[in-house]
Every structure is written in C-alpha cells, then in structure tokens.
Amino acid sequence: MGVYVKGGCVLGLLISVYALWVERQVHSKSNYLALCDLHQYASCSRVLTSKYATGFGVIGSILGDEHPLNLPNCLYGIGFFLIYLTLGRCYLTTHSATTMSFICVL
C-alpha cells in the first residue's frame, strides 16, 4: 500500500475519532466549544449533532431511530479506515488500493 494511501487512512481515522469525541462532548456538555467550531455558520458541532450525523441521515428514517444500524457516521468512518488499513496492509497492491480509494470517494 502506498505511503499516501496509508497517510490518508491514518488521517481519516484521526478525523473520525476526533468527530466522535466532539459529538460525545457536545451531548454531555451544553456549552462545549470544539476546535473545529470556527463561527456560528461554520460549526462542526452543529453538523455532528444534526439528524444527518447518524445513519447517514437515511437509516433512521427507514428503519427507525432506535435501530442498531443507526450509529453515528464517525463510527462508520472509524470502522472503514481500520478495515481499509488492515486489508490494505495484507492484501492490496498499490493499483487495487488506488482503485478502492477512488470507488470509496464516489
């Protein structure tokens, strides 16, 4: 796996973990101000607490808000990047990793 793909996976994993941490802090502390809250119109806290922040905004409306698949999107990100790093390290060539990255972006 190329160094850029590994770096992208690690960066994506770190951002997903940070997003989960911010989401938990916002839910537990009403006056929490995250580092990514730049302005009231550019606030990651508002995004991470919106209805679209769980289940990609779709699972809750189809299966219900209490369904086990209606997880925070950042948990899906953590799982994706961990799987990608593990499989990429073991099985993927540089060409297939690049192809997989392109497909995931779509």
Side-chain angles (χ1 to χ4, degrees), residues 8-77:
C9 285
V10 170
L11 183 63
L13 183 62
L14 291 174
I15 290 171
S16 296
V17 168
Y18 177 70
L20 180 64
W21 186 74
V22 167
E23 185 176 349
R24 299 293 182 215
Q25 293 296 319
V26 168
H27 285 299
S28 66
K29 301 174 186 173
S30 61
N31 61 349
Y32 178 74
L33 183 64
L35 290 173
C36 54
D37 288 341
L38 304 176
H39 191 270
Q40 81 181 55
Y41 299 112
S43 169
C44 68
S45 299
R46 288 180 61 189
V47 171
L48 292 172
T49 56
S50 74
K51 69 178 185 174
Y52 302 105
T54 58
F56 303 107
V58 177
I59 295 175
S61 61
I62 295 173
L63 301 174
D65 289 335
E66 301 302 319
H67 195 276
L69 290 176
N70 196 29
L71 298 171
N73 293 343
C74 45
L75 286 177
Y76 286 112

Short mmCIF file of all heavy atoms in Angstrom, two decimals, residues 8-77:
data_model
loop_
_atom_site.label_atom_id
_atom_site.label_comp_id
_atom_site.label_asym_id
_atom_site.label_seq_id
_atom_site.Cartn_x
_atom_site.Cartn_y
_atom_site.Cartn_z
N GLY A 8 -3.50 8.81 4.15
CA GLY A 8 -4.90 9.20 4.05
C GLY A 8 -5.78 8.40 4.99
O GLY A 8 -6.70 8.94 5.61
N CYS A 9 -5.48 7.12 5.14
CA CYS A 9 -6.24 6.27 6.06
C CYS A 9 -6.02 6.71 7.51
O CYS A 9 -6.97 6.79 8.29
CB CYS A 9 -5.84 4.82 5.91
SG CYS A 9 -6.49 4.03 4.44
N VAL A 10 -4.79 6.98 7.86
CA VAL A 10 -4.50 7.41 9.23
C VAL A 10 -5.16 8.76 9.50
O VAL A 10 -5.75 8.97 10.56
CB VAL A 10 -2.97 7.46 9.47
CG1 VAL A 10 -2.64 8.14 10.78
CG2 VAL A 10 -2.39 6.06 9.42
N LEU A 11 -5.09 9.67 8.54
CA LEU A 11 -5.72 10.97 8.70
C LEU A 11 -7.24 10.82 8.83
O LEU A 11 -7.86 11.44 9.70
CB LEU A 11 -5.38 11.88 7.51
CG LEU A 11 -5.92 13.30 7.58
CD1 LEU A 11 -5.33 14.05 8.77
CD2 LEU A 11 -5.60 14.03 6.28
N GLY A 12 -7.84 10.00 7.99
CA GLY A 12 -9.28 9.76 8.07
C GLY A 12 -9.67 9.13 9.40
O GLY A 12 -10.70 9.48 9.99
N LEU A 13 -8.85 8.22 9.90
CA LEU A 13 -9.10 7.59 11.19
C LEU A 13 -9.03 8.61 12.32
O LEU A 13 -9.91 8.66 13.19
CB LEU A 13 -8.11 6.46 11.42
CG LEU A 13 -8.26 5.65 12.69
CD1 LEU A 13 -9.60 4.94 12.72
CD2 LEU A 13 -7.13 4.64 12.80
N LEU A 14 -8.03 9.46 12.29
CA LEU A 14 -7.89 10.50 13.32
C LEU A 14 -9.06 11.49 13.29
O LEU A 14 -9.58 11.87 14.34
CB LEU A 14 -6.56 11.24 13.16
CG LEU A 14 -5.31 10.44 13.49
CD1 LEU A 14 -4.06 11.25 13.15
CD2 LEU A 14 -5.31 10.02 14.94
N ILE A 15 -9.47 11.89 12.11
CA ILE A 15 -10.60 12.82 11.99
C ILE A 15 -11.88 12.16 12.48
O ILE A 15 -12.69 12.79 13.18
CB ILE A 15 -10.74 13.31 10.54
CG1 ILE A 15 -9.57 14.24 10.20
CG2 ILE A 15 -12.07 14.03 10.32
CD1 ILE A 15 -9.48 14.62 8.74
N SER A 16 -12.07 10.89 12.17
CA SER A 16 -13.27 10.18 12.63
C SER A 16 -13.29 10.04 14.15
O SER A 16 -14.33 10.21 14.77
CB SER A 16 -13.35 8.80 11.98
OG SER A 16 -13.49 8.90 10.59
N VAL A 17 -12.15 9.73 14.74
CA VAL A 17 -12.06 9.63 16.20
C VAL A 17 -12.33 10.99 16.83
O VAL A 17 -13.06 11.10 17.84
CB VAL A 17 -10.69 9.05 16.63
CG1 VAL A 17 -10.47 9.20 18.13
CG2 VAL A 17 -10.58 7.60 16.22
N TYR A 18 -11.75 12.05 16.27
CA TYR A 18 -11.98 13.39 16.79
C TYR A 18 -13.46 13.77 16.67
O TYR A 18 -14.04 14.35 17.60
CB TYR A 18 -11.11 14.42 16.07
CG TYR A 18 -11.37 15.84 16.54
CD1 TYR A 18 -10.97 16.24 17.81
CD2 TYR A 18 -12.02 16.76 15.73
CE1 TYR A 18 -11.22 17.53 18.25
CE2 TYR A 18 -12.27 18.04 16.16
CZ TYR A 18 -11.86 18.43 17.43
OH TYR A 18 -12.12 19.69 17.87
N ALA A 19 -14.09 13.43 15.56
CA ALA A 19 -15.51 13.74 15.38
C ALA A 19 -16.36 13.01 16.42
O ALA A 19 -17.31 13.58 16.96
CB ALA A 19 -15.95 13.36 13.97
N LEU A 20 -16.02 11.76 16.72
CA LEU A 20 -16.75 11.01 17.74
C LEU A 20 -16.57 11.67 19.10
O LEU A 20 -17.53 11.82 19.87
CB LEU A 20 -16.28 9.56 17.78
CG LEU A 20 -16.97 8.66 18.80
CD1 LEU A 20 -18.45 8.52 18.49
CD2 LEU A 20 -16.30 7.30 18.83
N TRP A 21 -15.34 12.08 19.40
CA TRP A 21 -15.07 12.74 20.67
C TRP A 21 -15.85 14.05 20.79
O TRP A 21 -16.45 14.32 21.83
CB TRP A 21 -13.56 12.97 20.81
CG TRP A 21 -13.19 13.50 22.16
CD1 TRP A 21 -13.16 12.82 23.33
CD2 TRP A 21 -12.81 14.84 22.46
NE1 TRP A 21 -12.77 13.64 24.34
CE2 TRP A 21 -12.55 14.89 23.85
CE3 TRP A 21 -12.66 15.99 21.71
CZ2 TRP A 21 -12.15 16.05 24.48
CZ3 TRP A 21 -12.25 17.15 22.34
CH2 TRP A 21 -12.00 17.18 23.71
N VAL A 22 -15.85 14.85 19.74
CA VAL A 22 -16.59 16.12 19.75
C VAL A 22 -18.08 15.85 19.94
O VAL A 22 -18.75 16.52 20.73
CB VAL A 22 -16.34 16.93 18.46
CG1 VAL A 22 -17.33 18.07 18.33
CG2 VAL A 22 -14.92 17.46 18.44
N GLU A 23 -18.60 14.87 19.23
CA GLU A 23 -20.02 14.55 19.34
C GLU A 23 -20.39 14.15 20.77
O GLU A 23 -21.40 14.60 21.31
CB GLU A 23 -20.37 13.43 18.37
CG GLU A 23 -21.83 13.10 18.34
CD GLU A 23 -22.16 12.05 17.31
OE1 GLU A 23 -21.29 11.71 16.47
OE2 GLU A 23 -23.29 11.55 17.35
N ARG A 24 -19.57 13.33 21.39
CA ARG A 24 -19.84 12.91 22.78
C ARG A 24 -19.74 14.10 23.74
O ARG A 24 -20.53 14.21 24.67
CB ARG A 24 -18.87 11.81 23.21
CG ARG A 24 -18.96 10.57 22.39
CD ARG A 24 -20.27 9.87 22.60
NE ARG A 24 -20.27 8.64 21.82
CZ ARG A 24 -21.33 8.14 21.24
NH1 ARG A 24 -22.49 8.73 21.37
NH2 ARG A 24 -21.26 7.04 20.54
N GLN A 25 -18.76 14.97 23.52
CA GLN A 25 -18.62 16.14 24.40
C GLN A 25 -19.80 17.10 24.26
O GLN A 25 -20.27 17.64 25.25
CB GLN A 25 -17.31 16.88 24.07
CG GLN A 25 -16.06 16.12 24.41
CD GLN A 25 -15.93 15.86 25.89
OE1 GLN A 25 -16.22 16.71 26.72
NE2 GLN A 25 -15.52 14.65 26.23
N VAL A 26 -20.28 17.30 23.04
CA VAL A 26 -21.41 18.20 22.81
C VAL A 26 -22.66 17.66 23.49
O VAL A 26 -23.44 18.42 24.07
CB VAL A 26 -21.64 18.40 21.30
CG1 VAL A 26 -22.96 19.08 21.02
CG2 VAL A 26 -20.51 19.22 20.70
N HIS A 27 -22.85 16.34 23.44
CA HIS A 27 -24.02 15.75 24.07
C HIS A 27 -23.93 15.77 25.60
O HIS A 27 -24.96 15.85 26.27
CB HIS A 27 -24.23 14.31 23.60
CG HIS A 27 -24.77 14.23 22.21
ND1 HIS A 27 -25.99 14.76 21.84
CD2 HIS A 27 -24.26 13.67 21.09
CE1 HIS A 27 -26.20 14.54 20.57
NE2 HIS A 27 -25.16 13.89 20.08
N SER A 28 -22.72 15.73 26.16
CA SER A 28 -22.59 15.71 27.61
C SER A 28 -22.44 17.10 28.23
O SER A 28 -22.81 17.30 29.38
CB SER A 28 -21.41 14.83 28.02
OG SER A 28 -20.19 15.40 27.59
N LYS A 29 -21.91 18.06 27.48
CA LYS A 29 -21.71 19.42 28.00
C LYS A 29 -22.40 20.41 27.06
O LYS A 29 -22.05 20.52 25.89
CB LYS A 29 -20.23 19.77 28.06
CG LYS A 29 -19.42 18.85 28.93
CD LYS A 29 -17.94 19.19 28.83
CE LYS A 29 -17.12 18.17 29.59
NZ LYS A 29 -15.69 18.37 29.38
N SER A 30 -23.35 21.13 27.58
CA SER A 30 -24.13 22.03 26.72
C SER A 30 -23.32 23.23 26.21
O SER A 30 -23.62 23.78 25.15
CB SER A 30 -25.36 22.54 27.47
OG SER A 30 -24.97 23.26 28.62
N ASN A 31 -22.30 23.64 26.91
CA ASN A 31 -21.52 24.81 26.50
C ASN A 31 -20.16 24.45 25.90
O ASN A 31 -19.26 25.27 25.84
CB ASN A 31 -21.33 25.76 27.69
CG ASN A 31 -20.58 25.11 28.83
OD1 ASN A 31 -20.38 23.90 28.84
ND2 ASN A 31 -20.20 25.90 29.81
N TYR A 32 -20.01 23.22 25.43
CA TYR A 32 -18.73 22.77 24.86
C TYR A 32 -18.47 23.48 23.54
O TYR A 32 -19.35 23.58 22.69
CB TYR A 32 -18.75 21.25 24.65
CG TYR A 32 -17.48 20.73 24.04
CD1 TYR A 32 -16.32 20.64 24.77
CD2 TYR A 32 -17.45 20.37 22.70
CE1 TYR A 32 -15.15 20.18 24.20
CE2 TYR A 32 -16.28 19.90 22.12
CZ TYR A 32 -15.14 19.82 22.89
OH TYR A 32 -13.99 19.37 22.32
N LEU A 33 -17.24 23.95 23.36
CA LEU A 33 -16.83 24.61 22.13
C LEU A 33 -15.65 23.83 21.54
O LEU A 33 -14.58 23.78 22.12
CB LEU A 33 -16.42 26.06 22.39
CG LEU A 33 -16.04 26.88 21.18
CD1 LEU A 33 -17.23 27.04 20.24
CD2 LEU A 33 -15.53 28.24 21.60
N ALA A 34 -15.89 23.20 20.40
CA ALA A 34 -14.85 22.39 19.76
C ALA A 34 -13.86 23.26 18.98
O ALA A 34 -14.18 24.39 18.61
CB ALA A 34 -15.50 21.39 18.80
N LEU A 35 -12.69 22.72 18.72
CA LEU A 35 -11.69 23.44 17.94
C LEU A 35 -12.16 23.70 16.51
O LEU A 35 -11.73 24.65 15.87
CB LEU A 35 -10.37 22.65 17.91
CG LEU A 35 -9.61 22.58 19.22
CD1 LEU A 35 -8.43 21.64 19.07
CD2 LEU A 35 -9.15 23.95 19.65
N CYS A 36 -13.02 22.83 16.02
CA CYS A 36 -13.49 22.97 14.64
C CYS A 36 -14.70 23.89 14.51
O CYS A 36 -15.22 24.08 13.42
CB CYS A 36 -13.79 21.60 14.04
SG CYS A 36 -14.92 20.60 15.02
N ASP A 37 -15.16 24.48 15.61
CA ASP A 37 -16.23 25.47 15.57
C ASP A 37 -15.61 26.83 15.27
O ASP A 37 -15.14 27.53 16.17
CB ASP A 37 -16.99 25.52 16.89
CG ASP A 37 -17.85 24.31 17.11
OD1 ASP A 37 -18.16 23.62 16.12
OD2 ASP A 37 -18.23 24.06 18.27
N LEU A 38 -15.60 27.21 14.01
CA LEU A 38 -14.95 28.44 13.60
C LEU A 38 -15.85 29.66 13.75
O LEU A 38 -15.40 30.74 14.06
CB LEU A 38 -14.49 28.31 12.14
CG LEU A 38 -13.57 27.13 11.84
CD1 LEU A 38 -13.27 27.06 10.36
CD2 LEU A 38 -12.31 27.23 12.67
N HIS A 39 -17.13 29.46 13.52
CA HIS A 39 -18.11 30.54 13.52
C HIS A 39 -19.47 29.89 13.70
O HIS A 39 -19.61 28.68 13.54
CB HIS A 39 -18.04 31.30 12.19
CG HIS A 39 -18.80 32.58 12.17
ND1 HIS A 39 -20.10 32.64 11.79
CD2 HIS A 39 -18.43 33.84 12.48
CE1 HIS A 39 -20.52 33.90 11.86
NE2 HIS A 39 -19.51 34.64 12.29
N GLN A 40 -20.49 30.64 14.03
CA GLN A 40 -21.81 30.02 14.19
C GLN A 40 -22.31 29.44 12.87
O GLN A 40 -23.15 28.55 12.86
CB GLN A 40 -22.81 30.99 14.78
CG GLN A 40 -23.45 31.95 13.79
CD GLN A 40 -24.42 32.88 14.48
OE1 GLN A 40 -24.05 33.54 15.44
NE2 GLN A 40 -25.64 32.92 13.99
N TYR A 41 -21.80 29.94 11.75
CA TYR A 41 -22.20 29.42 10.45
C TYR A 41 -21.25 28.34 9.93
O TYR A 41 -21.53 27.71 8.92
CB TYR A 41 -22.30 30.54 9.42
CG TYR A 41 -23.33 31.57 9.82
CD1 TYR A 41 -22.94 32.85 10.18
CD2 TYR A 41 -24.67 31.25 9.86
CE1 TYR A 41 -23.89 33.79 10.56
CE2 TYR A 41 -25.62 32.18 10.24
CZ TYR A 41 -25.22 33.45 10.58
OH TYR A 41 -26.15 34.37 10.97
N ALA A 42 -20.13 28.14 10.59
CA ALA A 42 -19.17 27.09 10.23
C ALA A 42 -18.83 26.32 11.50
O ALA A 42 -17.78 26.51 12.10
CB ALA A 42 -17.92 27.70 9.62
N SER A 43 -19.74 25.46 11.92
CA SER A 43 -19.62 24.78 13.19
C SER A 43 -19.73 23.27 12.99
O SER A 43 -20.77 22.77 12.55
CB SER A 43 -20.73 25.25 14.13
OG SER A 43 -20.80 24.45 15.27
N CYS A 44 -18.68 22.56 13.33
CA CYS A 44 -18.73 21.10 13.22
C CYS A 44 -19.65 20.52 14.29
O CYS A 44 -20.24 19.46 14.08
CB CYS A 44 -17.33 20.50 13.29
SG CYS A 44 -16.54 20.68 14.89
N SER A 45 -19.79 21.19 15.42
CA SER A 45 -20.67 20.70 16.47
C SER A 45 -22.12 20.66 15.99
O SER A 45 -22.85 19.72 16.29
CB SER A 45 -20.60 21.60 17.70
OG SER A 45 -19.31 21.63 18.22
N ARG A 46 -22.52 21.65 15.23
CA ARG A 46 -23.88 21.66 14.70
C ARG A 46 -24.08 20.53 13.69
O ARG A 46 -25.13 19.91 13.63
CB ARG A 46 -24.19 23.00 14.06
CG ARG A 46 -24.36 24.11 15.08
CD ARG A 46 -24.65 25.44 14.45
NE ARG A 46 -25.90 25.38 13.70
CZ ARG A 46 -26.32 26.34 12.91
NH1 ARG A 46 -25.59 27.44 12.78
NH2 ARG A 46 -27.46 26.24 12.27
N VAL A 47 -23.05 20.28 12.89
CA VAL A 47 -23.13 19.20 11.91
C VAL A 47 -23.19 17.86 12.61
O VAL A 47 -24.00 16.99 12.26
CB VAL A 47 -21.94 19.27 10.94
CG1 VAL A 47 -21.88 18.04 10.05
CG2 VAL A 47 -21.99 20.54 10.11
N LEU A 48 -22.34 17.66 13.62
CA LEU A 48 -22.25 16.36 14.29
C LEU A 48 -23.46 16.06 15.17
O LEU A 48 -23.63 14.93 15.62
CB LEU A 48 -20.97 16.30 15.12
CG LEU A 48 -19.69 16.26 14.30
CD1 LEU A 48 -18.48 16.39 15.20
CD2 LEU A 48 -19.61 14.99 13.47
N THR A 49 -24.30 17.05 15.44
CA THR A 49 -25.50 16.82 16.22
C THR A 49 -26.77 16.93 15.38
O THR A 49 -27.86 16.88 15.92
CB THR A 49 -25.57 17.80 17.41
OG1 THR A 49 -25.50 19.13 16.93
CG2 THR A 49 -24.46 17.54 18.40
N SER A 50 -26.61 17.06 14.09
CA SER A 50 -27.79 17.14 13.22
C SER A 50 -28.37 15.75 12.97
O SER A 50 -27.76 14.74 13.31
CB SER A 50 -27.42 17.80 11.88
OG SER A 50 -26.68 16.90 11.09
N LYS A 51 -29.54 15.71 12.37
CA LYS A 51 -30.17 14.41 12.10
C LYS A 51 -29.40 13.62 11.04
O LYS A 51 -29.57 12.41 10.93
CB LYS A 51 -31.62 14.58 11.68
CG LYS A 51 -31.81 15.22 10.33
CD LYS A 51 -33.27 15.31 9.97
CE LYS A 51 -33.45 15.84 8.56
NZ LYS A 51 -34.84 15.81 8.13
N TYR A 52 -28.56 14.29 10.28
CA TYR A 52 -27.77 13.63 9.24
C TYR A 52 -26.47 13.04 9.77
O TYR A 52 -25.73 12.40 9.03
CB TYR A 52 -27.46 14.61 8.11
CG TYR A 52 -28.70 15.19 7.50
CD1 TYR A 52 -29.08 16.49 7.78
CD2 TYR A 52 -29.51 14.42 6.67
CE1 TYR A 52 -30.24 17.02 7.24
CE2 TYR A 52 -30.66 14.93 6.14
CZ TYR A 52 -31.03 16.24 6.42
OH TYR A 52 -32.18 16.75 5.89
N ALA A 53 -26.17 13.22 11.04
CA ALA A 53 -24.92 12.75 11.62
C ALA A 53 -25.00 11.30 12.08
O ALA A 53 -24.01 10.72 12.49
CB ALA A 53 -24.51 13.63 12.79
N THR A 54 -26.19 10.71 12.05
CA THR A 54 -26.35 9.31 12.40
C THR A 54 -27.00 8.57 11.25
O THR A 54 -27.91 9.07 10.61
CB THR A 54 -27.21 9.12 13.67
OG1 THR A 54 -28.48 9.71 13.44
CG2 THR A 54 -26.56 9.75 14.88
N GLY A 55 -26.50 7.40 10.99
CA GLY A 55 -27.07 6.56 9.94
C GLY A 55 -27.11 7.23 8.58
O GLY A 55 -27.97 6.92 7.76
N PHE A 56 -26.19 8.13 8.33
CA PHE A 56 -26.09 8.88 7.07
C PHE A 56 -27.37 9.66 6.77
O PHE A 56 -27.64 10.03 5.64
CB PHE A 56 -25.75 7.96 5.90
CG PHE A 56 -24.48 7.19 6.11
CD1 PHE A 56 -24.50 5.84 6.39
CD2 PHE A 56 -23.26 7.84 6.05
CE1 PHE A 56 -23.32 5.15 6.61
CE2 PHE A 56 -22.09 7.14 6.26
CZ PHE A 56 -22.12 5.80 6.54
N GLY A 57 -28.18 9.91 7.79
CA GLY A 57 -29.42 10.65 7.62
C GLY A 57 -30.51 9.85 6.95
O GLY A 57 -31.59 10.38 6.69
N VAL A 58 -30.27 8.57 6.69
CA VAL A 58 -31.23 7.75 5.96
C VAL A 58 -31.73 6.58 6.80
O VAL A 58 -32.92 6.28 6.81
CB VAL A 58 -30.58 7.21 4.66
CG1 VAL A 58 -31.52 6.30 3.92
CG2 VAL A 58 -30.12 8.35 3.78
N ILE A 59 -30.84 5.93 7.51
CA ILE A 59 -31.20 4.70 8.23
C ILE A 59 -32.28 4.96 9.27
O ILE A 59 -33.20 4.16 9.41
CB ILE A 59 -29.94 4.07 8.86
CG1 ILE A 59 -29.00 3.61 7.75
CG2 ILE A 59 -30.31 2.91 9.76
CD1 ILE A 59 -27.68 3.07 8.22
N GLY A 60 -32.19 6.08 9.97
CA GLY A 60 -33.20 6.39 10.99
C GLY A 60 -34.58 6.57 10.41
O GLY A 60 -35.57 6.14 11.00
N SER A 61 -34.68 7.18 9.25
CA SER A 61 -36.00 7.40 8.65
C SER A 61 -36.57 6.12 8.04
O SER A 61 -37.78 5.97 7.95
CB SER A 61 -35.93 8.49 7.59
OG SER A 61 -35.04 8.13 6.56
N ILE A 62 -35.70 5.18 7.66
CA ILE A 62 -36.18 3.92 7.06
C ILE A 62 -36.42 2.86 8.13
O ILE A 62 -37.48 2.24 8.16
CB ILE A 62 -35.17 3.41 6.01
CG1 ILE A 62 -35.08 4.38 4.85
CG2 ILE A 62 -35.55 2.02 5.53
CD1 ILE A 62 -34.00 4.05 3.86
N LEU A 63 -35.45 2.66 9.01
CA LEU A 63 -35.52 1.58 9.99
C LEU A 63 -35.91 2.03 11.39
O LEU A 63 -36.15 1.21 12.26
CB LEU A 63 -34.18 0.84 10.04
CG LEU A 63 -33.71 0.22 8.73
CD1 LEU A 63 -32.31 -0.35 8.90
CD2 LEU A 63 -34.67 -0.85 8.27
N GLY A 64 -35.92 3.33 11.62
CA GLY A 64 -36.25 3.86 12.94
C GLY A 64 -35.02 4.36 13.67
O GLY A 64 -33.91 3.86 13.48
N ASP A 65 -35.23 5.35 14.52
CA ASP A 65 -34.10 5.96 15.24
C ASP A 65 -33.43 5.03 16.24
O ASP A 65 -32.28 5.22 16.58
CB ASP A 65 -34.57 7.23 15.95
CG ASP A 65 -34.88 8.35 14.98
OD1 ASP A 65 -34.31 8.35 13.87
OD2 ASP A 65 -35.70 9.23 15.33
N GLU A 66 -34.15 4.04 16.72
CA GLU A 66 -33.59 3.12 17.72
C GLU A 66 -32.96 1.87 17.11
O GLU A 66 -32.52 0.99 17.83
CB GLU A 66 -34.70 2.70 18.70
CG GLU A 66 -35.33 3.87 19.44
CD GLU A 66 -34.31 4.67 20.24
OE1 GLU A 66 -33.43 4.06 20.87
OE2 GLU A 66 -34.40 5.91 20.22
N HIS A 67 -32.90 1.79 15.80
CA HIS A 67 -32.33 0.61 15.14
C HIS A 67 -30.82 0.55 15.39
O HIS A 67 -30.14 1.58 15.44
CB HIS A 67 -32.60 0.67 13.63
CG HIS A 67 -32.38 -0.63 12.94
ND1 HIS A 67 -31.14 -1.04 12.52
CD2 HIS A 67 -33.24 -1.63 12.64
CE1 HIS A 67 -31.23 -2.23 11.96
NE2 HIS A 67 -32.51 -2.62 12.02
N PRO A 68 -30.27 -0.66 15.58
CA PRO A 68 -28.83 -0.81 15.87
C PRO A 68 -27.91 -0.28 14.76
O PRO A 68 -26.75 0.04 15.03
CB PRO A 68 -28.63 -2.32 16.04
CG PRO A 68 -29.97 -2.90 16.23
CD PRO A 68 -30.97 -1.95 15.67
N LEU A 69 -28.38 -0.19 13.53
CA LEU A 69 -27.54 0.34 12.45
C LEU A 69 -27.54 1.87 12.39
O LEU A 69 -26.76 2.45 11.65
CB LEU A 69 -28.02 -0.20 11.10
CG LEU A 69 -27.77 -1.68 10.85
CD1 LEU A 69 -28.37 -2.09 9.51
CD2 LEU A 69 -26.30 -2.00 10.91
N ASN A 70 -28.39 2.51 13.17
CA ASN A 70 -28.45 3.98 13.17
C ASN A 70 -27.39 4.53 14.12
O ASN A 70 -27.67 5.12 15.14
CB ASN A 70 -29.85 4.44 13.58
CG ASN A 70 -30.08 5.88 13.24
OD1 ASN A 70 -29.50 6.40 12.29
ND2 ASN A 70 -30.92 6.54 14.00
N LEU A 71 -26.14 4.31 13.75
CA LEU A 71 -24.98 4.72 14.54
C LEU A 71 -24.47 6.07 14.05
O LEU A 71 -24.74 6.48 12.93
CB LEU A 71 -23.87 3.69 14.39
CG LEU A 71 -24.17 2.28 14.87
CD1 LEU A 71 -23.05 1.34 14.46
CD2 LEU A 71 -24.35 2.27 16.37
N PRO A 72 -23.67 6.75 14.88
CA PRO A 72 -23.03 7.98 14.40
C PRO A 72 -22.15 7.68 13.19
O PRO A 72 -21.47 6.65 13.13
CB PRO A 72 -22.18 8.43 15.59
CG PRO A 72 -22.83 7.82 16.78
CD PRO A 72 -23.41 6.52 16.30
N ASN A 73 -22.17 8.57 12.22
CA ASN A 73 -21.39 8.37 10.99
C ASN A 73 -19.90 8.22 11.26
O ASN A 73 -19.20 7.52 10.54
CB ASN A 73 -21.63 9.53 10.03
CG ASN A 73 -23.04 9.57 9.52
OD1 ASN A 73 -23.78 8.59 9.61
ND2 ASN A 73 -23.44 10.70 8.99
N CYS A 74 -19.41 8.88 12.30
CA CYS A 74 -17.98 8.78 12.60
C CYS A 74 -17.60 7.36 13.02
O CYS A 74 -16.47 6.93 12.77
CB CYS A 74 -17.56 9.81 13.63
SG CYS A 74 -18.65 9.96 15.02
N LEU A 75 -18.52 6.60 13.60
CA LEU A 75 -18.22 5.20 13.91
C LEU A 75 -18.07 4.38 12.64
O LEU A 75 -17.22 3.49 12.55
CB LEU A 75 -19.31 4.59 14.79
CG LEU A 75 -19.31 5.01 16.25
CD1 LEU A 75 -20.48 4.39 16.99
CD2 LEU A 75 -18.01 4.63 16.91
N TYR A 76 -18.89 4.67 11.64
CA TYR A 76 -18.73 4.02 10.34
C TYR A 76 -17.38 4.38 9.73
O TYR A 76 -16.71 3.55 9.13
CB TYR A 76 -19.85 4.41 9.39
CG TYR A 76 -21.17 3.78 9.70
CD1 TYR A 76 -22.24 4.55 10.16
CD2 TYR A 76 -21.37 2.42 9.55
CE1 TYR A 76 -23.47 3.97 10.45
CE2 TYR A 76 -22.59 1.83 9.84
CZ TYR A 76 -23.64 2.61 10.29
OH TYR A 76 -24.84 2.03 10.57
N GLY A 77 -16.97 5.64 9.91
CA GLY A 77 -15.66 6.07 9.40
C GLY A 77 -14.51 5.35 10.09
O GLY A 77 -13.57 4.90 9.45
#
